[in-house]
Amino acid sequence: MDKKLPNIYANPIPKKVCNVQEYYYGPSDIRSTSVDEKDVRQKIDEIFRSRSFVYKSQVSIITSVGSMERVLVGKNQNSLLTMEGDVIPISSIIDIQKK
């Protein structure tokens, strides 16, 4: 078992290698702005399928622009329709809660 292994050629690196991150982002530092489309769509479906929804439902909506309180009257495939006449795209909704 005293075999001599051949030498391996190692090319010298003339510059300093800086591939280590200098910053650490913990879970509290990361702000999640990604929209979980499936979760939002499930919440919207629950609002429209509830027994209390006949024509309109008061909700609080958090979008990428800001938060708002609206009265929902309908929806289509890509947006929500409000009593005020606003059309809110579902893709911009971060969270929605029924009041």
Side-chain angles (χ1 to χ4, degrees):
M1 288 283 173
D2 292 332
K3 294 182 183 178
K4 285 247 177 181
L5 297 175
N7 291 335
I8 297 175
Y9 176 74
N11 192 11
I13 301 173
K15 61 182 179 179
K16 183 180 176 184
V17 178
C18 294
N19 59 359
V20 178
Q21 286 185 344
E22 295 180 14
Y23 301 102
Y24 170 74
Y25 295 103
S28 63
D29 296 338
I30 299 172
R31 292 188 177 186
S32 176
T33 57
S34 65
V35 177
D36 190 7
E37 185 105 7
K38 195 170 202 176
D39 187 38
V40 171
R41 287 193 183 272
Q42 286 175 349
K43 288 181 180 182
I44 292 170
D45 288 340
E46 288 173 6
I47 291 170
F48 282 100
R49 287 184 191 156
S50 69
R51 291 186 179 266
S52 63
F53 179 79
V54 177
Y55 172 66
K56 56 187 177 180
S57 181
Q58 181 133 8
V59 295
S60 175
I61 301 171
I62 300 172
T63 63
S64 54
V65 177
S67 64
M68 59 186 93
E69 293 184 12
R70 297 286 189 260
V71 178
L72 293 181
V73 293
K75 70 172 184 168
N76 63 18
Q77 209 168 31
N78 298 321
S79 59
L80 296 175
L81 308 171
T82 66
M83 183 73 102
E84 295 84 12
D86 298 334
V87 178
I88 303 170
I90 293 176
S91 59
S92 69
I93 297 175
I94 296 172
D95 192 23
I96 185 167
Q97 296 291 327
K98 185 173 180 180
K99 287 195 140 202

